[in-house]
Amino acid sequence: MTDSSQGTPPSASRSTGRKPRTPGRIVLSILKWIVIVGVALAVIGAGVFGVLYARQGIPNPNTDFQTNLTSVYYADGQEQMSTFAVQNRVSIPLSEMPQTVKQSVVAGENETFWEDPGISIAGLMRAAASLVGPKDAVGGSTITQQYVKVMYLTQEKTFTRKLTEILVSLKIGQELSKEDILERYLNAVYFGRGAYGIQAASQAYFGVDAKDLNLAQSVALTAIINSPNNLDPGRGEAQRRDLLERYQYVLNQMVKLKYITDDQRAQIYTALPDFPALDSAESRWGGPKGHLLKMVQDELKGAGFDDAQIQGGGLRITTTIDKTMQDAAVSAAQDQANRIAKAQNQDPNYYHPAIASIDTGTGAILAMYGGPNYTADYTNYATTPRAAGSTFKPWALVAGLRDGASLTDRFNGNTFTLKGEPKPITNGGHNYGPVTLEKATTSSINTAYVDLVTQMKDGPQKVIQAALDAGLTNNKWQATANIPLGSAEVSPLEAARGFATLANEGRRTTPHIIAQVTDMKGQVVYSPTINPEQTVENDVSINAVNALLGVTQDGTGQAAVAGLKYEVAGKTGTNFSNGETLATWFVGATRQISTAFVLTAGPEARSNLGRNTYGSTYSAVGWNAYMKVAMAGKDKIDFPAPVKQTRKGSFTAPPAPSPTATVPTAAPTSGAQPTTPTTKPEPADPVDPEDPTEPTDAPTSARPTTRPTHTPPGKPTTTPTARP
């Protein structure tokens, strides 16, 4: 008997009970495994994501985005001068942001903001789809993601940066309320024109605070966020058209979300709001005010503030600069530059007038003109030393009075030559004979002042010390007998400080440009210390001032007081060489204000200031124009009358001259040899050739020849008498 199984093929035996595998079943099997693998990968991915999320901390904020705009104001504390900023930002609370701003930014940037966890999967998918579609790419980031990117991350476009953005956004969404996120975003996001945050943007585009924005302005600003550089309407018509399209999109979104009605949209839909012409961020330092701002920064650094605090600390700085006086200083300086440019047939920019004006009692800088445009020329000519000419004579005057000389002592008013010197000391060709110290000051007589210095032991050093005590800085001054003639270099600010010391009866103050600094909480964090120091003796300063009053009442400075109803102790100065004027000065003080005005020419000019140009020609006239504004409405306070001095020093008065003598018959004890030239000599260099023949714009005043004597308490009432 045969076994039937032996006739059955092995393969047939194995397939018993199974259905044949069709192509459809194969596809289903593959899909099943794809799902299984996909789920497995998703589980693994979720686990990895969870680990990454757990490990991801919130990074430290980018330093620049923690800064706030520092604002600088004029002395009234109301009118803004300019701003300092790492980024132009002023943070404000959400409560000061209009509802229209909050609604329009949500509508335009992230309509699911109030519900999403900080990221939007749908938004990310739309952004990805747009990359391969026919339209421009659209943003996929939520408001939270945008905030995270600018506050904590970089702008690089990498997978790692994007993953970190998502993780941190989820964290922020868990830790902060939606209101906090929106407030921080609107204080950080960039709007173009250098403006970060809604407050800075409101000022940059519309010149108003954020709280005052209307619906159209709010929508326009939030529309600009989408692409600030490409949607700034000030850049051209193409940008304006693109902004209108984005603006209309935001309005449509606001209607969709029921933030506004169809009627509200229709009223503003067809046109953008008006964008006024406003200064760009670059103009913050432009013009004369840039020199003031640099001084503000320097003073703050000197007080211990660092750059981070100054640029981004949100400080409110009130300066000492009076806006009305500052405008007058700018006008006076530029008017004189135009005058000399016309006279010399030159460009006004070739000339450098400068003004420094300070309060005599406090040292507060009231106005300053250092140049027409800081961004074009960083040199502040109001703080740059120049040869002082005869404005240095007051320090020889102070030294002489300290050393025992009196205003009635007489000195050599004729041309003479110092021992060992090749050129004579002259008065521009005039000989006066013996003159009192008061007359020598009034008429700016060079020889008499050099004679004064030679009569004192270590006279040049005593002149230098007097200048230092008054508040000037030694800029490599040469200790020679002709130091009063003004080769010594002085800045206008220091010259004004020195005269302020005399006007303040010898009490020296420190010039400063800051009145007060407050922080973002309104707390005062800095104010200058006003502590006048008696550095020049009271009687010396009073008598020096009385001599300087003669300059403006009878002498070379009469142009400075034309029409000015106040006493002015002043001095003209001219730096003169090889027939040309290099610099002209007028420095003078009332009881309240001390001001210096200097004029020089730049290297571009074909000549310097020309010939026959003196301190009274331009500088005194410009000083007068400024001071008429600066002194307007102020009390009329005269200086104290001269006081009797009983000082003793190395000074010994020369022998009394003959009443009829015009030239001393004996050489001064210092070795100065008088000469009587028969022809007008060439002046020595440097020399200030000012004298009473110098042209003035004011008539000779009827100044009394004597003034009542002011006597300090406890001193006898005696009037100094002239030496016979």
Side-chain angles (χ1 to χ4, degrees), residues 12 72 88 107 227 295 481 513 518 569 582 607:
V72 184
N88 181 9
S227 183
M295 290 188 70
I513 197 170
T518 57
L582 307 181
S607 63

Side-chain angles (χ1 to χ4, degrees), residues 75-130:
D76 62 3
Q78 301 298 317
E79 185 165 357
Q80 190 177 87
M81 181 187 296
S82 192
T83 57
F84 298 140
V86 174
Q87 294 178 348
N88 181 9
R89 181 199 341 277
V90 180
S91 296
I92 59 174
L94 194 66
S95 60
E96 292 185 17
M97 300 177 190
Q99 191 70 5
T100 52
V101 167
K102 304 169 196 174
Q103 293 172 337
S104 61
V105 76
V106 169
E109 295 295 317
N110 181 192
E111 64 179 270
T112 63
F113 171 73
W114 296 107
E115 295 83 29
D116 65 45
I119 64 171
S120 170
I121 300 300
L124 292 174
M125 292 178 65
R126 285 197 308 273
S130 72

Side-chain angles (χ1 to χ4, degrees), residues 213-224:
L213 292 170
N214 59 34
L215 174 60
Q217 292 169 332
S218 298
V219 175
L221 283 181
T222 55
I224 288 172

Side-chain angles (χ1 to χ4, degrees), residues 375-446:
T375 58
D377 183 356
Y378 295 153
T379 303
N380 184 342
Y381 292 96
T383 58
T384 301
R386 258 77 58 81
S390 280
T391 62
F392 208 83
K393 283 176 181 166
W395 316 123
L397 172 64
V398 167
L401 294 173
R402 279 176 159 179
D403 209 47
S406 74
L407 297 181
T408 54
D409 285 326
R410 293 179 180 272
F411 299 89
N412 186 357
N414 289 337
T415 297
F416 64 80
T417 302
L418 290 169
K419 285 183 179 179
E421 294 291 332
K423 292 184 178 181
I425 305 297
T426 77
N427 301 306
H430 296 274
N431 285 310
Y432 297 90
V435 293
T436 66
L437 185 53
E438 183 174 28
K439 170 63 177 175
T441 305
T442 297
S443 299
S444 197
I445 299 174
N446 295 329

Side-chain angles (χ1 to χ4, degrees), residues 15 29 282 323 419 586:
S15 64
S29 179
E282 289 77 15
K323 181 61 163 60
K419 285 183 179 179
F586 186 81

